[in-house]
Amino acid sequence: MSIADKITDNQIWKSVFRHPMPTDRRNRVVVMLTNFFLHLHPVSVRRQGIALSYTWCMGGTTFFLFLVEVVTGVLLMFYYRPTLEHAYNDILNLRDVTTLGLMRELHRWGAHAMVIAVWLHMYRVFLTGSYKPPREFNWVVGTLLLVMTLLLSFTGYLLPWDQLAIWAITVGSNMARATPGVGVEGPGASLLVLNGVPLVTSFSDAKFALLSGRSVGEMTLNRFYVLHCVAIPLAVSLLIMIHFWRVRKDGGISGPM
Amino acid sequence: MNHHPDLTPGVMAALSWFYLFSSILNACASAYISYGELVSEGASRDDLGPKTISMPAWLRTSTWVFYGFGGLFLLINIQIAYWLLAAGTVLLAIFSTADAALFAEHESHDTGLKASLNRHQPAIGIGGPLSRPIISAIWSFVAMIFAAMGMTYALGAEYAMPQLFRNAIDNASGATSFFTISTLAFIAMIVYRKLVANGILAWAALNFSFLFFGLSLTDYDFRDIVTKPDNVPIIGLIYLVAYFTWIGLRRAVINDARMAKGLPNLEELGSEKTLTWPDLVYTELIAVVIGTVFLIVWSILLQAPLEQPASSTQAPNPSKAPWYFLGLQEMLVYFDPWMAGVVLPTFIVIGMMAMPYIDTNKAGNGYYTIRQRMFAYSTFQYGFLVLWVVLILLGTFLRGPNWNFFGPYEYWDLHKLEPLNNVNLSDIFWIQWLRQSRPSAILIREAPGIFLTMGYFAVLPGLMYAVFFKKYVMESGFIRYSVLAMLLLFMASLPIKMVLRWTINLKYIVAIPEYFFNI
């Protein structure tokens, strides 16, 4: 009895993997049906559908990068404290003294790469016309995921609390001030007056809601931290589930109709 | 103005490796052309004789020896590694071309020229077979030039890009020329797509970009901007977008030519089923391994940026949004924040979502094609490549303090003054044309602009319908057309405002600063 047999020929192993190694056709089919992770995929796919020259592998890369961001992000959360007192120094220590401080590099470069991968994935889906029926709705879900990816990256940009961070967020959030109707410098906001009291002020407009303050401050850091680590990832996870499920339900990887 | 040295030992070492890398790529291309089995996408290998061209064993061995020891010495002595790799590259470049020529000579002596895998089998629609010796010689030559440039730096010669060139490029570049050339290049790419789809032109373009980068990196100011840690991914973005644009274009050209001949397109060729395990699962595993290694190497080589602690009183100049929003920030030059930062981005997102519902063309579903969906393809691609990516490049690399334009080799001078003599449409209308002061009533004052804007959104859809979209409205209905027309008009508003700014210095078409309503 070889060592491999000893490892696999017992009740524990067999309770986890309910079939032998997928070396023959039957087990290669069965493995796709009985493994939780693999059952995302169909049992068989069109050969052209999985060709790299067709898919560019960018949707999968995006998902891979999302997982990298989750893992490195959780590790960073163990260390980083989102307060004015600690935020910058925690990042400084991640760079200079912390074991596995490389997580920050992985997280940041992974985030940039994820933005690029999302764009390229959508680019491919467009160029192959894969958004056309019956995949219209999944394209809409994908667009929402694009927006979510950008928001994730944007909210994360603030957390190091250095000059790069707060001024990039300041530039970005200044746009909110100009939102028509609900931004204090937006068209129409000055018309919203009730009994002589303006409804939209710099204490109640869209920018205030985004930053929870009139400018980027500690409350902004807290708000962006929660958005970045909890709120948006939850929304993204839900959308990813729908996205993957619909890929299967709409006929798998696209191909000539 | 020269504040910093253009060339330092570190830069020269980096450049010598950069050119060696470019040289290796070209030597490999030369060897591939010379020895490879050149069967293009969709070309048949049935009824073809066997391939007799192959890399001689001694060359294969010696290349591996040079590259193997070169790789090994990377860990021991980087100088020796460099020269080993360079020697291997030169060897490969010279002998693969010589072999290609030899085979061509043998073949010309062979009277019964049978179709065989020795000859390049081009894809349908891409053009004729390429000549192995000539193309191989070209890339060998390029490889030798890059190798020589790299060795020059490795030996310590200090060659920088001539100041004359830099000044000429700086003077010729501007937001106007950058955007206009991008637009023209895009149109040329679509029109001459058969030429672009050919690998030779694309490879030449890649080599030109290497040369441009290599030369430009000798300039301190260029280097300073390009090597900012957060800007490095954008360099990657340029190459990735260019590569994938080319792949999509090439496959579309091939598919269009195939379908015109009644042949199945490339995607239909591989429609048989294959098991997910192992074919897809293993591909994913390999992709994950490559992705992990790539990220770890990137993270070790390049530290994430961390600047001075945040200070709400000291605004850096320029203050820039994260790089993926710089296209929007660039739009601020032409629009007020409510348009550039809120309305137009909203329309981009809504427009993307609306796309599958307004594009009722049933052709081109699940395969690359341009001819069957020319309008959708080129409109989207123009939006992505020029109005999004090119604007990001402009905003990242060419916009300096006070959001002034700076040439690629120009020092970011805080005190650079650019005359801002922009005028509103109401100034032009009342003061320049009617020679009277502007009326005080806002609506009358801005009547020309309001009239023009309403005309743009009310009259143009009708005109577009009459000229281009009659068939579309018949097939897809009035609602879809209305949405499409609005989205197109909003998309076109950016280039229109750009042109108006460049030609007549127009600031706002409608300017009602009293209510923050400026268009």
Side-chain angles (χ1 to χ4, degrees), chain B residues 100-111:
Chain B
L102 187 69
F103 278 117
E105 204 175 298
H106 282 310
E107 203 176 39
S108 67
H109 285 296
D110 186 1
T111 43

Side-chain angles (χ1 to χ4, degrees), chain A residues 70-246:
Chain A
V70 170
V71 172
T72 55
V74 167
L75 287 170
L76 288 170
M77 280 173 77
F78 283 134
Y79 196 83
Y80 166 87
R81 290 162 288 182
T83 60
L84 288 196
E85 190 187 351
H86 295 299
Y88 182 77
N89 285 330
D90 284 348
I91 300 290
L92 208 59
N93 288 338
L94 275 171
R95 187 183 72 185
D96 294 336
V97 296
T98 314
T99 312
L100 289 182
L102 196 67
M103 288 304 143
R104 178 176 174 239
E105 268 75 21
L106 285 173
H107 197 73
R108 193 178 185 101
W109 301 142
H112 286 326
M114 187 172 157
V115 170
I116 294 173
V118 171
W119 292 359
L120 292 175
H121 174 56
M122 299 189 80
Y123 193 32
R124 193 282 295 180
V125 171
F126 182 86
L127 293 189
T128 57
S130 303
Y131 59 88
K132 297 188 175 197
R135 297 186 178 78
E136 310 101 302
F137 180 67
N138 219 13
W139 169 268
V140 174
V141 175
T143 310
L144 289 174
L145 277 166
L146 164 78
V147 175
M148 289 292 161
T149 306
L150 294 176
L151 285 180
L152 268 178
S153 189
F154 184 69
T155 49
Y157 217 80
L158 181 67
L159 303 185
W161 203 247
D162 62 345
Q163 282 288 75
L164 199 62
I166 71 158
W167 289 101
I169 302 306
T170 303
V171 169
S173 59
N174 273 344
M175 305 290 161
R177 193 169 57 187
T179 313
V182 291
V184 70
E185 288 180 10
S190 55
L191 300 174
L192 296 173
V193 179
L194 196 66
N195 291 337
V197 181
L199 291 178
V200 181
T201 67
S202 56
F203 287 97
S204 64
D205 71 342
K207 186 184 173 188
F208 192 93
L210 183 67
L211 299 183
S212 63
R214 293 172 67 195
S215 59
V216 180
E218 182 155 32
M219 283 311 290
T220 318
L221 187 57
N222 186 59
R223 181 157 296 194
F224 274 42
Y225 181 73
V226 174
L227 282 171
H228 185 75
C229 302
V230 184
I232 305 177
L234 282 176
V236 167
S237 303
L238 177 67
L239 287 171
I240 286 179
M241 285 188 260
I242 299 173
H243 199 61
F244 287 2
W245 190 74
R246 284 299 295 247

Side-chain angles (χ1 to χ4, degrees), chain A residues 42 88 108 131-132 139 153, chain B residues 230 274 276 307 324 352 359 363:
Chain A
Y88 182 77
R108 193 178 185 101
Y131 59 88
K132 297 188 175 197
W139 169 268
S153 189
Chain B
D230 266 352
T274 178
T276 305
E307 296 187 351
Y324 36 83
M352 298 265 289
D359 180 3

Side-chain angles (χ1 to χ4, degrees), chain B residues 172-401:
Chain B
S173 57
T176 318
S177 56
F178 189 68
F179 187 84
T180 313
I181 289 172
S182 304
T183 301
L184 293 178
F186 174 77
I187 295 170
M189 181 185 83
I190 294 287
V191 173
Y192 299 107
R193 57 183 182 275
K194 274 188 187 151
L195 210 59
V196 180
N198 194 318
I200 296 166
L201 200 70
W203 190 262
L206 181 73
N207 277 321
F208 270 110
S209 82
F210 285 156
L211 189 65
F212 171 77
F213 258 109
L215 290 176
S216 298
L217 283 172
T218 60
D219 182 86
Y220 177 83
D221 294 307
F222 182 90
R223 214 163 55 228
D224 190 37
I225 299 158
V226 170
T227 55
K228 273 199 175 72
D230 266 352
N231 289 351
V232 170
I234 312 178
I235 306 292
L237 174 77
I238 298 175
Y239 282 103
L240 285 171
V241 166
Y243 175 68
F244 284 127
T245 301
W246 178 74
I247 283 279
L249 193 91
R250 178 177 167 93
R251 290 182 72 94
V253 167
I254 295 173
N255 277 347
D256 286 343
R258 293 183 67 92
M259 289 185 286
K261 287 190 170 184
L263 294 167
N265 60 45
L266 295 176
E267 281 73 27
E268 282 164 341
L269 279 183
S271 59
E272 76 276 11
K273 290 263 188 167
T274 178
L275 284 178
T276 305
W277 184 299
D279 282 3
L280 176 55
V281 177
Y282 277 38
T283 310
E284 287 172 338
L285 178 71
I286 294 167
V288 164
V289 171
I290 293 174
T292 310
V293 171
F294 177 77
L295 271 183
I296 291 176
V297 170
W298 184 6
S299 300
I300 290 172
L301 292 181
L302 192 67
Q303 203 165 54
L306 187 63
E307 296 187 351
Q308 293 300 306
S311 156
S312 51
T313 49
Q314 289 173 322
N317 190 1
S319 286
K320 290 191 177 183
W323 62 267
Y324 36 83
F325 286 148
L326 286 186
L328 302 178
Q329 201 174 349
E330 174 64 20
M331 293 204 297
L332 282 174
V333 176
Y334 306 99
F335 285 109
D336 265 16
W338 73 276
M339 280 292 285
V342 185
V343 174
L344 289 175
T346 309
F347 268 93
I348 293 173
V349 174
I350 291 177
M352 298 265 289
M353 290 183 183
M355 227 155 53
Y357 304 98
I358 52 179
D359 180 3
T360 50
N361 179 2
K362 287 193 174 57
N365 188 343
Y367 55 93
Y368 292 94
T369 173
I370 294 179
R371 194 184 290 157
Q372 293 180 1
R373 44 198 292 257
M374 187 61 171
F375 175 72
Y377 194 99
S378 49
T379 309
F380 179 89
Q381 208 170 39
Y382 182 75
F384 178 60
L385 292 182
V386 180
L387 295 184
W388 189 250
V389 174
V390 162
L391 286 191
I392 287 174
L393 301 182
L394 177 58
T396 309
F397 297 123
L398 302 171
R399 290 290 186 183

Side-chain angles (χ1 to χ4, degrees), chain A residues 2-71:
Chain A
S2 70
I3 297 176
D5 285 339
K6 273 188 181 155
I7 293 173
T8 56
D9 195 16
N10 55 62
Q11 192 183 357
I12 297 176
W13 180 273
K14 284 178 176 171
S15 70
V16 180
F17 303 104
R18 292 204 169 276
H19 50 81
M21 283 292 283
T23 47
D24 54 17
R25 191 182 159 84
R26 182 183 179 281
N27 283 310
R28 283 173 173 175
V29 171
V30 171
V31 69
M32 302 308 295
L33 300 173
T34 56
N35 183 301
F36 174 77
F37 297 102
L38 292 177
H39 97 284
L40 274 176
H41 288 311
V43 167
S44 63
V45 283
R46 255 197 316 272
R47 187 172 292 283
Q48 178 57 39
I50 57 170
L52 279 183
S53 54
Y54 179 70
T55 65
W56 309 351
C57 199
M58 279 301 146
T61 302
T62 307
F63 183 53
F64 161 71
L65 289 166
F66 177 72
L67 295 180
V68 168
E69 294 303 289
V70 170
V71 172

